[in-house]
Amino acid sequence: MNQQRGERVSQQANPRGTFLIIADTLKAWINADPEVTELPSLAEIMSHYNVSRGVALRAFAVLKQEGVAEPFPGGRWRIVRASQQVDRRPLDQRTADIIRADGLEAGQPFPSASVLAERFGVSRPTITKALEKLEAAGVLAGGGQGKVRTVRAVPTREERS
């Protein structure tokens, strides 16, 4: 982790306030660099500040409460900036939108889990769960190990909400 994000928290610091010091340091780093899009990993925070998992989680909770960052399923915590529009709908709904956005019709192949994971910036297991929901809803067919998923039905607005 880059030293610009803050210096190590002193071992002499009040243990009850350490998470606040970390949260303040991360906020200052976020405000100083508009290019930052996600927080360091929990492990990086723990290692860099020499704190426990609980302290790092409490620092993240402060950032969430203050609207600075939010957890992102299958990925790192992402920075929330007032100027950014972020789609907060469930991943399966955003994935279903690909059918319309890409002009797919029933019977056509659907993008693979790997392609979708990269497109949404999430892990493959996370996108696989979303795809399984769409299969259960009858929107997609096939899939699984080495099988190509196909569009079974084009969802209407009512089905996606």
Side-chain angles (χ1 to χ4, degrees):
M1 180 151 64
N2 189 326
Q3 279 291 39
Q4 292 176 342
R5 293 185 191 164
E7 300 169 2
R8 292 191 180 273
V9 176
S10 167
Q11 293 296 329
Q12 304 299 321
N14 180 343
R16 291 190 180 145
T18 303
F19 71 97
L20 293 173
I21 294 168
I22 294 169
D24 287 343
T25 303
L26 290 171
K27 283 188 286 188
W29 170 65
I30 291 165
N31 292 331
D33 187 354
E35 299 296 316
V36 174
T37 58
E38 53 185 36
L39 291 177
S41 71
L42 193 61
E44 288 172 329
I45 295 293
M46 291 167 52
S47 172
H48 183 77
Y49 294 102
N50 196 25
V51 295
S52 69
R53 178 179 173 85
V55 170
L57 285 171
R58 288 181 74 187
F60 281 12
V62 168
L63 297 175
K64 180 180 179 183
Q65 182 180 10
E66 293 180 3
V68 175
E70 64 185 3
F72 187 68
R76 292 185 176 196
W77 281 57
R78 65 180 166 202
I79 307 304
V80 177
R81 298 197 190 270
S83 62
Q84 290 178 324
Q85 289 275 335
V86 178
D87 190 349
R88 290 182 171 83
R89 294 177 301 145
L91 186 57
D92 59 303
Q93 289 177 12
R94 291 183 288 142
T95 304
D97 283 347
I98 289 174
I99 296 170
R100 284 203 189 283
D102 291 1
L104 300 177
E105 297 178 9
Q108 288 189 303
F110 196 72
S112 70
S114 297
V115 168
L116 294 170
E118 186 163 327
R119 185 169 177 170
F120 288 109
V122 298
S123 67
R124 281 186 47 209
T126 299
I127 197 70
T128 299
K129 289 177 186 177
L131 293 171
E132 288 170 354
K133 285 183 180 181
L134 293 175
E135 287 176 11
V139 175
L140 299 177
Q145 200 76 23
K147 295 181 185 174
V148 175
R149 281 185 181 83
T150 57
V151 176
R152 178 179 274 173
V154 177
T156 63
R157 290 213 178 267
E158 294 79 35
E159 289 174 321
R160 288 186 287 147
S161 52

